Amino acid sequence: MSFSGVKFCVRSRAAFAPIDGNGAGAVSMGEVRPAAKRGPGPIDAETGLFQLGGREGKRNQTQNGFVIGERLFEQSSKANIVRFLAEEPTFAGIGNVRASKLVDRFGDGLLTVIRDRDHAVFEVLPEGVATVLFENFGDAAAEAELAMYLDALGIDERLGKKVVGAWGQLGAGKLRKNPYLLISWVPWDKVDLIGRRIGIPSEDPQRLCAACEYVLYSRLTQGHTWTSLKEVKKHLSAFIGERNAAPAIEACLDNHGAVFNADGLQPLGAAIMERFVIRQALCGGSDQKDMFSNRAWSWSEFELQLREIEAEQGFSFTEMQLRAIRSALEGRFNVFAGYAGSGKTSVLRAICALAETRGLKVHLMALSGRAAKRMTEATGYRSCTIARFIRDHQGSELEPANLVLIDEASMVDLSDLYRILRICMNARICLVGDPAQLPPIGFGAPFADLVALPRVSKVVLDKVHRQDETTGIPAIAKNIRSGIPDVLEIYSGLTDGVQYLHADEVGVPEVIYGIGRAFAQAGCDRDDVQIIAPVKRGAGGVNNINRFMSGLKPRRKFMTGSDTVRVGDPIVYLRNDPQKDLRNGSLGRLISPELAEFDGSEVHVDESDVKNIDLAYCLTVHKSQGSQWDRVIVPLFNGGRSSFVERSLIYTAVTRAAKQVVIVGDYEAYVFAVRSVTAANKRQSGVKADG
């Protein structure tokens, strides 16, 4: 790839003026001299302006008191058209090599020679392959044109694939008309550069509308579905100027890119989804018959079955648990808020058994594959991931005789919940989760919003069963939820409770290793101990701790194809693989270079699995959610004083332990995190704005 330059002469705060395309001397301020020769990329037929492809770079030089700024554009690699030709199924016999040769040989004239069936193509392709290309090109011409256009704009291959997938043959026309449509995939500064290159004025409504939408999209990536007008104007002023902020908001509203709500804005899609979710929560069940309305059945007839379930599990249901069970069977839309260890799984097991007796079809699901597998093992009923459920039922609606149970619902984002509820408009549904735990990775926090909304009917399971009260963990977890940091006991070896051990961040891996050895010497099984870190990076982060632990015995053999995972290392699988019966989050151990053990089953692993396997001496809090160990070690430092390390992370980590938690590092970091606002509460939504 080569660089071509477009130079601008700038002095003080005066406007810039181009130097000619050859860079042959400065022009006077405000004067625009036509380029001496054609710049990089094709010329747009409508605007006559250069469409400079590739990445932009900048370089400043000082000459005779003037600052000469060069804007450099890396020429396009033609990656999109190469990929398109190589992957189009109807172009048999054209792979990456031949596609690259075609592009190198004919450049911007490639589509013309193909349309014209130019025999010059035979110089690159065998005659039979070229003939197939000629015969099938007509149906694919529009997408090929889009690929070429994306290359001219400097859109890389990965983004190009998304654009082609979204718009297909209509894409080129859409982008020529409005390149700002790319903000769904491309950062604002690059999209705006493209728009300005093809001559769109700075105050064009398309540009202003896109700027406002980009602000709202950016907020979505941070989890927010609502933004105050003040905040929107602040962000807009930063990159399109204060003068254009109000017109941008107006243009966005006029173009239905956003909706106004409670002195703020929401992206249209997020607003639609939130309102649908709330409507289902408030109105669900109004048109549904009570499953016990049939005189042949009554709640009392289920009490005997409940007593049998209680006898099997060895404890009786609390009043609130019984209320949750009955509510799930009688109502259409239910929200169960249960703290960690409050017996949510036991409640789900009872609901499944009673629903089956009545003839309801039960659908159990969780966000991750590992969580779904645990639900299957705990309840005895088949469970699946949320993604699988949506995929299997896309475009359909479940009948009323279906009951959908979603575990760890606090982790479900707005988009997924909206899709689920569209499928379950007539079915019974129960959302089960802990609002104090981590919010979704995607945008929104619908479960927390529903729990906080007074008008939504809900059951709160507030009695903790997982940890023995004598451990002190339930009491400390309750204080963490309330934002009250306890004075922790000093670590003194294998003992129950929540303790603290001061350590320097640089030396934390050695300190944690020492704790682990002490546990082992006291008779604790290594599989009953887990390190859980709030962050991935840094000396006290997941990555460094894993590297340190794995490197303690350097002579062990590596997994085939890996330079990080050694025989004997605990490992985590990072995707769902039905063929191997593995889920995203499955924990195991490497027992030979080509063999791993997951949940008691041996699984062959090879080089193709390297990207899907990571060390698991230390897990992120997200990966640990839904699991339990006897003892948990949590590294925490002042470096964690950020919006990321907050109360819900600490709460989730602490409640993964049944007997003992050891916080290693800086006590002040613990205090700071506990006193912070939870991630879910930080997220702004239309539900909260409406009150």
Side-chain angles (χ1 to χ4, degrees), residues 275-571:
R275 292 174 185 183
F276 179 82
V277 169
I278 296 302
R279 188 165 62 249
Q280 289 295 300
L282 296 179
C283 301
S286 60
D287 58 346
Q288 299 293 319
K289 293 178 67 177
D290 186 334
M291 69 171 289
F292 299 107
S293 62
N294 189 327
R295 293 182 180 180
W297 295 88
S298 67
W299 177 254
S300 62
E301 295 180 63
F302 286 86
E303 291 182 343
L304 179 60
Q305 192 174 352
L306 275 171
R307 300 291 84 82
E308 292 174 353
I309 294 172
E310 289 177 333
E312 289 177 2
Q313 63 191 15
F315 63 85
S316 299
F317 290 112
T318 67
E319 181 181 349
M320 297 305 292
Q321 287 175 328
L322 287 172
R323 180 179 166 187
I325 294 169
R326 182 163 185 166
S327 179
L329 297 169
E330 293 181 344
R332 196 186 76 81
F333 192 104
N334 293 280
V335 175
F336 302 151
Y339 300 132
S342 61
K344 296 189 295 291
T345 301
S346 299
V347 170
L348 289 175
R349 188 189 305 118
I351 292 171
C352 291
L354 293 174
E356 187 178 57
T357 302
R358 186 62 176 92
L360 292 177
K361 184 177 180 180
V362 178
H363 305 264
L364 278 167
M365 70 186 78
L367 192 65
S368 71
R370 186 180 179 216
K373 187 174 182 179
R374 285 195 306 271
M375 281 188 73
T376 299
E377 294 168 348
T379 64
Y381 291 82
R382 181 179 175 273
S383 182
C384 68
T385 64
I386 287 173
R388 175 67 180 269
F389 176 83
I390 293 173
R391 185 170 65 249
D392 290 349
H393 297 87
Q394 193 69 45
S396 63
E397 291 185 11
L398 296 182
E399 297 297 323
N402 286 269
L403 173 61
V404 175
L405 303 170
I406 304 175
D407 196 20
E408 303 288 355
S410 65
M411 291 281 288
V412 181
D413 63 29
L414 178 61
S415 177
D416 278 347
L417 185 56
Y418 171 79
R419 294 176 193 171
I420 293 169
L421 293 183
R422 294 291 297 183
I423 297 168
C424 302
M425 290 182 65
N426 299 312
R428 294 174 171 84
I429 185 167
C430 299
L431 308 181
V432 185
D434 184 349
Q437 290 191 24
L438 298 172
I441 295 175
F443 60 85
F447 183 80
D449 283 344
L450 291 172
V451 171
L453 200 62
R455 294 173 290 164
V456 173
S457 178
K458 65 188 73 69
V459 177
V460 179
L461 305 175
D462 52 3
K463 183 172 176 59
V464 176
H465 302 278
R466 176 181 296 161
Q467 304 97 347
D468 191 317
E469 292 285 348
T470 59
T471 66
I473 295 177
I476 289 176
K478 181 180 180 181
N479 286 341
I480 293 174
R481 291 197 306 268
S482 303
I484 303 171
D486 287 270
V487 177
L488 303 178
E489 297 179 5
I490 302 300
Y491 166 74
S492 59
L494 190 71
T495 183
D496 292 349
V498 182
Q499 294 115 37
Y500 162 71
L501 178 62
H502 177 77
D504 182 79
E505 185 173 5
V506 175
V508 71
E510 289 95 338
V511 174
I512 291 176
Y513 174 67
I515 295 172
R517 286 197 64 182
F519 284 174
Q521 291 169 357
C524 184
D525 190 287
R526 63 181 180 179
D527 290 334
D528 293 332
V529 182
Q530 182 60 52
I531 309 167
I532 302 174
V535 297
K536 282 190 173 183
R537 299 178 180 176
V542 171
N543 296 339
N544 187 56
I545 292 174
N546 276 331
R547 284 193 298 268
F548 174 86
M549 296 296 179
S550 180
L552 289 173
K553 297 180 180 179
R555 294 193 174 188
R556 294 176 298 157
K557 294 182 178 179
F558 283 105
M559 171 185 166
T560 302
S562 174
D563 58 359
T564 57
V565 179
R566 303 173 189 262
V567 173
D569 284 339
I571 53 178

Side-chain angles (χ1 to χ4, degrees), residues 208-280:
L208 297 181
C209 175
C212 187
E213 287 184 334
Y214 185 74
V215 169
L216 298 178
Y217 292 159
S218 299
R219 293 275 293 168
L220 274 182
T221 64
Q222 301 168 22
H224 308 294
T225 61
W226 177 91
T227 306
S228 70
L229 284 176
K230 182 180 179 181
E231 187 95 359
V232 174
K233 290 178 181 178
K234 181 183 75 173
H235 288 290
L236 284 170
S237 298
F239 59 89
I240 63 170
E242 185 176 356
R243 182 184 65 176
N244 287 325
I249 293 172
E250 184 177 352
C252 192
L253 290 170
D254 289 344
N255 199 48
H256 306 294
V259 296
F260 184 80
N261 181 15
D263 202 30
L265 296 181
Q266 290 189 270
L268 178 62
I272 291 172
M273 286 186 270
E274 272 191 355
R275 292 174 185 183
F276 179 82
V277 169
I278 296 302
R279 188 165 62 249
Q280 289 295 300

Side-chain angles (χ1 to χ4, degrees), residues 436-438 533-534 621-622 644-654:
Q437 290 191 24
L438 298 172
V621 180
H622 283 86
F644 180 74
V645 182
E646 42 71 46
R647 191 187 307 170
S648 60
L649 275 166
I650 304 303
Y651 172 78
T652 304
V654 167

